[in-house]
Amino acid sequence: MRNWTYRKLAGVLAGALALAGCTQNTVTQAPDPRAEKAATEKAMQRFDEMKFGLFIHWGLYTIPAGEWKGKYVRGIGEWIMFREKIPAAEYAQLATQFNPVKFNGGEWAQLAKDAGMRYMVITSKHHDGFAMYGSKASKYNIVDATPYAKDPMKDLSAACASQGIDFGFYYSQDQDWHEANGRGNNWDFPEKRDAQVYLQGKVFPQVKEILSGYGPLRLIWFDTPGLLSEKQVMDLRNMVKSLQPGCLINSRIGHGKHDYAQTGDNAIPIQVYSKDGKWEVPATLNDTWGYKKNDNNWKNPRDLIGKLSDIVSKGGNYLLNIGPTREGVVPEASQQILRTIGKWLEVNGEAIYGTGPSPFHMRDITWRATVKPNKLYLHILNWPGRKLRLEGLESQVTKAYMLAGKAEVPFQKAGAALEFTLPEKAPDPNVTVIALELADAQPKVADGFRADQMPAKLDLHAWVARMRGEEIQYDWTTQSATGFKSFERETNGLSWYPYKSLDGTYDVEITYACDNAVAGSKFRLTAGQRRDPNPSIIDGVVEKTGGKFVTRKLAGKLTVKPETETIGLQLEGDDKSAPMKVQKITLTKSAS
Ligand code: FHN
């Protein structure tokens, strides 16, 4: 009964909005193509140079903060309404408690600056449908529905402008659990919906608002495009570009109508990736986007700085998230981590901002490379001890030095390779950067070592994988992932993202360790697309290794197609062997 009433009310509201003229806000005429192209190219160049941005998920979900009616809710915090199937009217009551009196836009912009981030993207409306800015198009917004009654985005966008941080809004354009015609809420509303009514009644007017009231936006970050038609997506794009031609649009707008691409969440391509143009990795600092009070699974700065080097060396930008609390406070741990990254960038930023990707294929996890004219930067992720061998560089190196402190690094030819003499211990506990000055403007790299050349045998290290799940952890001392626990709705596991860099049929080895007492679980390796009904599969059993790392060949072959999105590894059946430690899988092109 309550559901029915709610649906009816929502229908009446949508009708009222339409009558009030909101549908007339729809700007669908195409913008001037030349102006759009020029503005977009300029913005893309800046976006490419910036490399590092702050993502902020902030909304009503920070009130339950991962707990509903006294019960811990697994999964990402901003999905609590969906996971618990909270009726929209009940969830909306959270607004009456939302009063972020400690919010200070200047402090958030300062934090981004201290972290060395060059842009910021914040949720203007997430899937829960609540607008975190003052919206005229829907009363369900922070000004009209909360005791706070102010628009924090005015403050934040102004603070970013004065700090020189480029500003952008996240906007969930299809998924909206508050609206009968939005996507996703099938516990209050019927499955059948009219997306066009939702777009015209809420999305178009709100997108117009966020593009009109907060100064120039560097980008708009759409998410989970779902089932919108190509025409609907094109209307959305045209609206954005006719209001701000230089506002970049991400690939989650759908139907390929974007200016730059996203990888999956926390998904880093395994190699240099340039086939789809510029891209960005959205990533979490712990296991959630929106604040969860019990999620203290913070990634350490070494890992994050290594990931920044890794992503930039592959051609991407890193968009790293914080989840402020209901009061508007950024958790202390996030602040400390971000400031540590910022300190590193103060010294090593030259090897990140404005650089080009690695000219080399990435064979292991010892180092990554970035380039500038006449410069090659080696980012050392795992210190090799006294000697570092660099194979495949044909350009003459005129000088080598530590980017921090500028101490010279001696080197000599060792056959076709260069050998650098290093201190025994890494000078920087996170990532040490060695700068090489080159005689050539662009490094020349020998055949067989170039970024687009796949070696016959390729290691997929655990460190390069996305770690799915709340329990799985990476251990730097053994360079392995552990904690392959299973739960009813999710299984901890590793996922690698080939992004068109692998194609073929492979023999597979796995390098892992397992104590005898916990051996015996089945594991499964799959290669396929998301929700692929027919992925390539290899099944195996976790054997006893007496705790030592061993490399075992698996029976069967793995087929990776150009469209394969993920190579995944997880336990199947039981998770007795969850404590096993996986270092890597190795793919060798199969002869047959
Ligand atoms: O469903 C959302 C999720 O809550 C979060 O906003 C991330 C950030 O990239 N995007 C979606 C899932 O991909």
Side-chain angles (χ1 to χ4, degrees):
M1 178 65 182
R2 186 181 52 196
N3 287 356
W4 181 85
T5 312
Y6 194 81
R7 199 182 324 147
K8 213 167 142 193
L9 271 174
V12 170
L13 185 64
L17 280 172
L19 285 174
C22 287
T23 55
Q24 286 160 22
N25 282 335
T26 310
V27 180
T28 50
Q29 80 271 21
D32 171 45
R34 277 217 306 228
E36 183 194 330
K37 188 163 181 279
T40 302
E41 277 171 9
K42 198 164 160 230
M44 276 307 303
Q45 192 184 341
R46 172 144 177 86
F47 182 68
D48 181 35
E49 285 164 7
M50 294 192 293
K51 307 295 185 196
F52 194 29
L54 181 65
F55 209 0
I56 306 179
H57 277 67
W58 197 38
L60 297 182
Y61 38 80
T62 57
I63 297 173
E67 223 174 81
W68 192 248
K69 304 205 164 141
K71 191 183 90 188
Y72 173 68
V73 182
R74 284 185 71 82
I76 44 184
E78 69 284 2
W79 274 71
I80 195 162
M81 177 177 174
F82 184 93
R83 287 226 162 194
E84 290 300 300
K85 308 284 179 248
I86 303 170
E90 188 179 348
Y91 185 88
Q93 284 304 308
L94 291 171
T96 62
Q97 301 169 48
F98 194 70
N99 196 10
V101 286
K102 295 190 179 154
F103 164 77
N104 180 324
E107 284 175 11
W108 290 13
Q110 184 65 50
L111 176 62
K113 187 137 189 148
D114 291 351
M117 291 159 153
R118 299 274 163 101
Y119 63 107
M120 178 188 287
V121 184
I122 185 162
T123 45
S124 59
K125 182 197 77 126
H126 202 266
H127 310 328
D128 65 359
F130 186 73
M132 287 295 286
Y133 70 96
S135 172
K136 298 266 178 294
S138 159
K139 287 267 175 230
Y140 194 45
N141 75 75
I142 189 165
V143 176
D144 293 312
T146 76
Y148 187 61
K150 287 189 287 274
D151 183 343
M153 301 304 159
K154 291 276 181 208
D155 215 33
L156 190 61
S157 53
C160 283
S162 69
Q163 293 272 23
I165 304 278
D166 286 11
F167 190 69
F169 276 125
Y170 170 108
Y171 188 88
S172 175
Q173 78 277 27
D174 182 44
Q175 194 155 202
D176 190 322
W177 308 322
H178 186 72
E179 306 293 339
N181 287 303
R183 180 169 61 86
N185 182 341
N186 58 5
W187 57 97
D188 282 316
F189 310 123
E191 286 283 343
K192 204 162 155 34
R193 64 169 188 140
D194 188 336
Q196 192 62 23
V197 169
Y198 167 62
L199 286 175
Q200 293 197 313
K202 189 166 181 181
V203 177
F204 291 140
Q206 287 200 328
V207 167
K208 187 173 182 189
E209 286 172 345
I210 59 179
L211 279 150
S212 311
Y214 302 88
L217 298 191
R218 171 59 58 219
L219 58 91
I220 184 158
W221 216 97
F222 293 113
D223 204 3
T224 61
L227 304 173
L228 297 183
S229 71
E230 187 167 356
K231 158 96 174 57
Q232 288 166 330
V233 169
M234 204 53 212
D235 285 349
L236 192 56
R237 182 183 164 94
N238 283 341
M239 160 165 270
V240 173
K241 291 291 182 177
S242 56
L243 290 166
Q244 291 200 29
C247 175
L248 298 176
I249 297 175
N250 69 330
S251 56
R252 295 191 189 177
I253 191 173
H255 289 286
K257 305 294 180 204
H258 57 275
D259 298 318
Y260 76 97
Q262 243 83 47
T263 63
D265 296 342
N266 290 302
I268 302 178
I270 56 174
Q271 292 294 333
V272 174
Y273 170 39
S274 58
K275 292 202 174 85
D276 290 332
K278 182 68 193 174
W279 50 275
E280 179 191 52
V281 178
T284 51
L285 268 184
N286 48 354
D287 293 321
T288 182
W289 303 91
Y291 178 72
K292 272 181 98 173
K293 57 188 159 207
N294 292 323
D295 185 344
N296 291 308
N297 193 16
W298 304 107
K299 295 175 183 133
N300 65 40
R302 176 181 178 187
D303 191 62
L304 296 161
I305 293 169
K307 293 275 193 290
L308 176 63
S309 291
D310 189 34
I311 290 166
V312 174
S313 77
K314 290 169 179 170
N317 279 18
Y318 197 16
L319 184 63
L320 195 53
N321 183 72
I322 54 169
T325 66
R326 62 186 285 181
E327 290 186 297
V329 174
V330 179
E332 188 53 39
S334 323
Q335 293 196 37
Q336 275 181 21
I337 295 168
L338 292 188
R339 293 207 165 90
T340 307
I341 302 174
K343 288 262 168 304
W344 183 88
L345 277 165
E346 259 172 39
V347 183
N348 296 291
E350 183 191 321
I352 296 286
Y353 307 117
T355 59
S358 173
F360 298 99
H361 194 91
M362 289 159 208
R363 281 156 197 265
D364 57 25
I365 49 171
T366 309
W367 55 269
R368 295 291 181 257
T370 53
V371 296
K372 272 186 180 162
N374 295 95
K375 287 265 182 82
L376 177 74
Y377 301 98
L378 297 178
H379 303 232
I380 316 294
L381 309 175
N382 283 292
W383 198 249
R386 299 277 302 163
K387 297 285 176 205
L388 174 73
R389 265 178 80 80
L390 175 62
E391 289 179 287
L393 181 62
E394 290 183 334
S395 295
Q396 190 200 344
V397 176
T398 53
K399 193 177 170 189
Y401 57 94
M402 299 288 180
L403 194 53
K406 308 281 181 279
E408 259 201 55
V409 176
F411 62 95
Q412 59 188 33
K413 279 227 166 243
L418 279 184
E419 196 173 77
F420 297 88
T421 304
L422 304 176
E424 186 63 44
K425 291 245 154 56
D428 189 314
N430 297 308
V431 171
T432 302
V433 179
I434 303 174
L436 310 185
E437 287 184 0
L438 306 180
D440 298 319
Q442 297 299 321
K444 292 201 181 87
V445 173
D447 196 31
F449 293 89
R450 286 198 284 275
D452 58 354
Q453 292 174 319
M454 165 64 188
K457 202 167 183 170
L458 181 70
D459 286 328
L460 300 184
H461 290 266
W463 185 73
V464 180
R466 169 182 170 193
M467 274 172 246
R468 283 183 295 102
E470 295 174 21
E471 284 74 20
I472 196 160
Q473 298 287 337
Y474 188 75
D475 172 32
W476 279 92
T477 48
T478 56
Q479 297 188 346
S480 64
T482 191
F484 291 78
K485 299 277 302 167
S486 301
F487 293 88
E488 200 189 324
R489 282 158 72 179
E490 66 198 53
T491 302
N492 283 268
L494 296 175
S495 296
W496 290 271
Y497 297 86
Y499 288 113
K500 302 178 189 170
S501 63
L502 299 174
D503 184 9
T505 300
Y506 296 91
D507 293 316
V508 184
E509 292 165 312
I510 180 167
T511 303
Y512 72 103
C514 187
D515 285 335
N516 294 353
V518 296
S521 298
K522 292 186 185 136
F523 67 84
R524 175 166 281 193
L525 197 63
T526 48
Q529 287 164 270
R530 274 182 75 194
R531 300 191 192 95
D532 198 333
N534 205 8
S536 174
I537 296 176
I538 294 185
D539 285 323
V541 174
V542 182
E543 292 168 7
K544 302 172 183 177
T545 77
K548 291 199 186 67
F549 281 94
V550 298
T551 299
R552 296 267 154 82
K553 185 160 191 292
L554 302 179
K557 294 187 191 297
L558 197 71
T559 300
V560 184
K561 299 182 188 147
E563 64 272 21
T564 296
E565 287 169 352
T566 332
I567 299 175
L569 175 70
Q570 63 183 48
L571 295 182
E572 293 283 303
D574 69 66
D575 63 4
K576 182 172 162 237
S577 306
M580 74 164 169
K581 296 175 178 167
V582 177
Q583 269 179 349
K584 61 181 181 181
I585 60 168
T586 304
L587 306 183
T588 308
K589 264 242 159 112
S590 168
S592 57

